[in-house]
Amino acid sequence: MVSEHSDAVGDTAALALKILVAGGFGVGKTTLVGAVSEIRPLRTEELLSEAGQLVDDTDGVDRKVTTTVAMDFGRITIRSGLSLYLFGTPGQDRFWFLWDELSQGALGAVVLADTRRLEDCFPAVDYFEHRRIPFVVAVNCFAGARTYGVHDVSRALDLDHGIPVVLCDARDRDSGKEVLIRLVDHAGRMHTARLLDSVG
């Protein structure tokens, strides 16, 4: 989603870009959206139920008591005239049917990863690769988790050359903002290259 509206003060066109925040169950998507959003984030969280224990793998996130069932929504102004609308996707595979709707018009995506459960972000990586939606992988550095370098994570996920991998703390606003800036830069270069290819 790319939209423009007039700034009442300066009467300049402001740009709003749609960004997805995806990844596995319990990786920190809701936390990231909440940390960076300058508005009160919209959340669609529900308590984990006994029925859900049969289908939700909570190994490594056993203190998690709620889960997103539709989406999270927040907004952040990166600089004057540029705002990002953030849509956090649900992590469990039974909610993946929502991803197609949420991804319509998205400039790009952040795939959050947890090195303790790295395999959980493979579906998100595959999803964005197959739909040619630019993305970055942001490794959420949980306390007590073993630290891996960005090159190790890139190799483990078998990422195409040029897909950025960044380390972050999803709880920290500045860290989350740096991830989003990196994504906007990467997506802008990808879209420009595709445009040049199409006219060339």
Side-chain angles (χ1 to χ4, degrees):
M1 174 181 66
V2 178
S3 62
E4 293 187 14
H5 61 274
S6 180
D7 185 337
V9 177
D11 199 33
T12 58
L15 193 61
L17 305 173
K18 181 179 183 181
I19 300 295
L20 298 186
V21 180
F25 175 65
V27 78
K29 301 178 295 294
T30 298
T31 300
L32 177 65
V33 172
V36 300
S37 181
E38 62 200 18
I39 62 172
R40 183 178 179 182
L42 168 69
R43 293 181 171 144
T44 59
E45 288 197 303
E46 295 292 338
L47 289 171
L48 290 172
S49 65
E50 288 186 18
Q53 290 176 358
L54 300 174
V55 290
D56 294 330
D57 179 9
T58 58
D59 286 344
V61 288
D62 45 355
R63 287 187 288 176
K64 186 173 174 62
V65 295
T66 62
T67 186
T68 299
V69 296
M71 68 172 186
D72 299 310
F73 174 77
R75 185 190 72 212
I76 179 174
T77 300
I78 295 296
R79 57 173 170 74
S80 178
L82 176 60
S83 296
L84 304 182
Y85 291 159
L86 308 175
F87 292 80
T89 66
Q92 299 99 310
D93 53 7
R94 67 181 183 277
F95 296 126
W96 285 349
F97 67 92
L98 294 168
W99 287 32
D100 288 337
E101 288 295 325
L102 291 174
S103 65
Q104 290 294 318
L107 173 77
V110 173
V111 176
L112 268 181
D114 177 352
T115 56
R116 300 169 302 179
R117 297 159 52 106
L118 197 58
E119 66 280 0
D120 288 0
C121 71
F122 273 111
V125 168
D126 290 343
Y127 182 91
F128 298 121
E129 281 182 341
H130 290 143
R131 286 158 183 81
R132 301 186 73 221
I133 297 174
F135 68 95
V136 301
V137 173
V139 179
N140 192 6
C141 298
F142 287 90
R146 183 176 170 188
T147 302
Y148 293 89
V150 294
H151 298 296
D152 294 328
V153 173
S154 182
R155 279 196 304 271
L157 293 175
D158 195 26
L159 297 177
D160 290 339
H161 178 71
I163 295 177
V165 176
V166 294
L167 304 180
C168 75
D169 181 344
R171 303 165 299 179
D172 182 77
R173 177 180 171 82
D174 289 337
S175 181
K177 187 174 179 179
E178 284 301 315
V179 170
L180 296 171
I181 291 170
R182 187 78 178 270
L183 171 62
V184 171
D185 178 61
H186 173 63
R189 284 186 279 107
M190 292 286 293
H191 286 296
T192 299
R194 290 172 186 171
L195 181 62
L196 292 174
D197 284 346
S198 68
V199 297

